[in-house]
Amino acid sequence: MKKIISIIIFGLFGYVSFSQNKLSDTFNLMPWPQEITKSNTTFKIDEKLTIFINGKDATERVNKSSVQFLRRLANKTGVFIDEGFPTKNKNASIEINFHSVSNLTTESDESYSLNIDDNKITINAKTDVGAIRGLETLLQLVNFNKKGYYFEGVSITDFPRFVWRGLMIDVARHFQPVAVIKRNLDAMASVKLNVFHWHLTDDQGFRVESKVFPRLQEVATDGLFYTQEQIKDVVKYASNLGIRVVPEFDVPGHASAILAAYPELGSKEGYEYSVERFSGVFHPTLNPAKEVTYLFLETLFTEIAPLFPDEYFHIGGDENEGKHWDENIEIQEFKKKHNLNTNHDLQTFFNIKLEKILKKLGKKLMGWDEILTPSTPTTAVIHSWRGKQEGLKQSTLIEAAKKGYQTVLSNGYYIDRVQSVEKHYNVDPIGNTVLTKEERKRILGAEATMWSELVTPLTIDSRIWPRTAAIAERFWSNKKVNDVNNMQKRLKVVTFQLEELGITHLKNKDVILRNISNSQDIHALKTLTNICEPLKIYSRNKGGTEYKTFSPFTLFADACTPDATDAKAFNKAVVSFLANKSKENQTKLIAFFDLWINNHTKFQKINNNPKTDVLEPLSSNLALLSSILKTGLISGKLSTNNYKKVLKLINKLEKPIADTELVITSKLKKLLVNYKK
Amino acid sequence: MKKIISIIIFGLFGYVSFSQNKLSDTFNLMPWPQEITKSNTTFKIDEKLTIFINGKDATERVNKSSVQFLRRLANKTGVFIDEGFPTKNKNASIEINFHSVSNLTTESDESYSLNIDDNKITINAKTDVGAIRGLETLLQLVNFNKKGYYFEGVSITDFPRFVWRGLMIDVARHFQPVAVIKRNLDAMASVKLNVFHWHLTDDQGFRVESKVFPRLQEVATDGLFYTQEQIKDVVKYASNLGIRVVPEFDVPGHASAILAAYPELGSKEGYEYSVERFSGVFHPTLNPAKEVTYLFLETLFTEIAPLFPDEYFHIGGDENEGKHWDENIEIQEFKKKHNLNTNHDLQTFFNIKLEKILKKLGKKLMGWDEILTPSTPTTAVIHSWRGKQEGLKQSTLIEAAKKGYQTVLSNGYYIDRVQSVEKHYNVDPIGNTVLTKEERKRILGAEATMWSELVTPLTIDSRIWPRTAAIAERFWSNKKVNDVNNMQKRLKVVTFQLEELGITHLKNKDVILRNISNSQDIHALKTLTNICEPLKIYSRNKGGTEYKTFSPFTLFADACTPDATDAKAFNKAVVSFLANKSKENQTKLIAFFDLWINNHTKFQKINNNPKTDVLEPLSSNLALLSSILKTGLISGKLSTNNYKKVLKLINKLEKPIADTELVITSKLKKLLVNYKK
């Protein structure tokens, strides 16, 4: 029996450690490719570098990506590349071969191979999209020494694990201008995401120009919406990056904005509909018992669907509590007449009508997993978002696939919960579930979701990135690629590559801190942001009523991010020290304590305003605690009095401060327990 | 005689010191208002703050600016203002009164008065544009203490000195996306600039969509151009900020891009026209002897002029050397036939034709001052750009005004020369010239010009701002407002206000340094950027052939800016020390030397690549020199050997390094001379 167990254990560990390619210690590719081997050569990047595109048709997609590749390479390396555009000369240093132009569907091929020799780089792909995926990999292989920049010599064969690798951005709660969307599309392409799910409407705004229903803009947008020209521009931009755009028009719930413009479509007679300024789940709901509701939606979708060439069309369908339905006698009679027992049945009735409207427009209906009821046709696509947090045993992904639905997973990838990258990286869409080939095929993939209640154009990038790069790896790479430490090592490099692409997650931290301090020295505040994280899982803005859509998001919590760097390092240092009280491990801890002691001196030099004043207890308590613990570490003992003092300070510091939490308190406690007599 | 001189001198100094309002020591308004008095109250900013707009018609302009005002105020102060939009309640804390909606011409009124009491703020203006100018002033009066934020209590009466206060942005040499233009329009409005001169075409690109001549986009843009929808959007955006948009289509020279698309309009038969990749003055020129040229321009302008509601239409007309005209026999015959002796005469012939075309379209022709010839009709507007640098005795501004032309000055405001803010601030458009009332009226105002040969969207803001805020003051404020030190004190605050508006001049420095260092610690590099400035007056990219349009602008020189902060402080410290060798003044110098000595230790920790390696001599020589001079300062003497050593090091450091100059070398020499026996 014992023998069997050790074989199993060995098998498990062997599986993990053998699975991750050793080269991931050397190279910083993300997502990690399916197959990679190293050669002993490198390719020197100099001014003579050229690109030749050998495609059946020279496509805009590969052409634009090649031009961008040359710009990004020049900007990164400082090399003055002679030829700024792809050459007609077949004897180029980089040769790109592909056979066909992708039509960007869930069936499209994205595979490629990349070979780097000392004098030639070749990318081979079936489609143009595969080719541009290869170009992104190539850019991640740039390295340097004192003499110059070069590409690492490797051979790669690569293809995605899932065909649907998405990022959803909510532009309703806080509008995000075209420039924000475009830079995020660039970043998505750089980590091989291929679906941009555009959450365009919600209680707080209807963000698409309608020429048929102009009140949608006049009343339901505060002037913040995309013109149809802008939508076309974004869709084209995404297509050139090999990214499909799936629009979402959330109905019948989340409809406050629509109903502010057209109250006659509402379920509650005489209700004062208005654009919502708070966050949460609200009652305004379209009336499914009125024929005019379907006429409105058919007319609207007929106008808007052609802007989005993709086959999938998301109708939301989530979080409808049906309160206004219950209060409406006509709707109750309608339910009886149509034998609809529950509001769920009524919503399914509504969805089936929508499904027919969309079918006429050549679209597949997709919806959040509340649409999954026994009578929902299997042509619908189930977007699985709920899980344990929402009272389910597990996500609906597997259930939907087994019942015959195409399905996409977002449970586990809610990046607006501001949790650690590790948390999301460890979620595998399928895990060890055994599926038939057909069932597996119906699991299209997964999507990270960026709900925007608490983010603005200033902060949204820091909520999406760099975590979404690691999530993208989960969607693209082999499931065996799962070493968290290795991922974090590579992510440190990728995060700067994202900045080079225009992502603002790093630079806007300083902008917020300069604002908070009224342009005084920000070093003290920055040190604090490196150990504090925004309150997680919606505990910031509890109940959705603390912040309005136009409240300031230029506060300390907005400068903080998940995965606070110093906190991670300190927590690790505590673990090391408790395992081995070596001088070296002690020194590491003392360095942190010195940092926080000195930091408070700097903090005190700031002329405080209410935004910085609220941080004073954090800064001073931390300094005091650091000073006692430092003395304790050096002397190897702590008086009972000091022990109690520190415990009291930790207890204080455990409470939320300016909508953030100090994420070193549990490790501080562990360190303190060390002195417990 | 002596007595008279001292009276004059006293008069001059008295004039300067009495002229500048003492309140400019306290408040950081820019541009400084015409009249201001201080009251003893302040207005507390809290969540109850509201705005009431009392206009003849509630205009989009004041409404949008008020909403933005509320957003900016909330973001700046962190106050959760209850009402996110202007209220209907007349009892609001801020009341805005105006009489009419401005039609945005050179005759439009922009005056306003602002009164801040402890419980009421009132803005009165003749026009809606005056009202929004007042809102910008109000935002600059925000101050804080530990208890909270407040507006300073003042009374202001304000109006502009010049009706034309412009910023030109060249989007041809390096294309600037709509987002770049919009954030710069926001910044312009914040310092009360009111003309955006959009240099849309040049040898390197034709940046406007033409539906009549699609080859202009297909051939002459590399895909980088504004759609007509985008142009309309920008013009509307500018109008809401009270900013006129004057487009420039540069002809007959600077025409390489147009001729690449339509070579049949060129002056040289069989010439291989192509989009230019270098900078400079090139030969491709429209053919003024062909009727089809005028047909083309009339058709193009007829299509494009309606996009720009402004009366003024800039046709460039600069730097046509006429080489291709001289080489074309038909053009020579055409000149003879029409009695045109010189190429200047021929160009005037061309301009007169254009003037008629534009008149039909309701437009006034404006051009760079080469268009000023004896036969140029006085309906033309002269844009004065040349001066001593271009071989003239002085700018053409006064000459043009005296000859009966409306005129605008840019000579002295060429911000792409990367000179100090002081230099531009000290240029007064009129100076002490005596003008008749009519002549004075013809001097419309002035424009800063941002030519984009050496700037990209990453760096353009740092080349425009903050210097242009000081230039804006020169255009708006009384000419007596001319205290450079006081301006620099206020500019330090304004530069952060520009960041709050979205200007990227501060944050992108770190982005470039992270790129240069491949995301290593950037502190050492940053210290160097604080004493180095980009080579000035076109000595970077000499002859225009070092950089192509697609060369990297992510280098050390791009991270550096004019008015390097530490250099200014060090140079001042040297002057103080040489005047008074006090311990205090010595300490200041030693602090700098210590900074640079330690900095080299940090610098050496960077894993160098060619972009950082080129800075090694700068860092090491500076450290060595600092170390010797520090010892010399402390001991009060320098050996002959060390004297020679330092001199040699300074001579080395005087040479350009990575397209920058170390701007402390002349003061280092002065310090060294101090030791000369």
Side-chain angles (χ1 to χ4, degrees), chain B residues 466-492:
Chain B
R467 290 178 301 154
T468 297
I471 296 173
E473 173 159 291
R474 179 59 50 245
F475 301 167
W476 174 284
S477 304
N478 193 300
K479 72 183 269 196
K480 294 175 190 169
V481 178
N482 57 12
D483 181 325
V484 172
N485 287 331
N486 178 274
M487 172 275 285
Q488 286 183 328
K489 179 216 70 159
R490 288 178 287 129
L491 194 58
K492 268 188 199 164

Side-chain angles (χ1 to χ4, degrees), chain B residues 298-310:
Chain B
E298 179 157 6
T299 311
L300 181 68
F301 291 169
T302 304
E303 179 191 11
I304 279 168
L307 301 174
F308 302 96
D310 202 76

Side-chain angles (χ1 to χ4, degrees), chain B residues 11 92 102 111 115 181 191 209 240 294 296 302 328 371 400 408 477 531 537 564-565 577 605 617:
Chain B
S102 172
S111 68
N115 195 70
I181 302 300
V191 292
E209 176 192 31
N240 277 332
Y294 302 102
F296 169 82
T302 304
N328 182 321
I371 72 164
V408 169
S477 304
I531 42 174
I537 320 181
T565 48
F577 176 77
K605 287 187 186 149

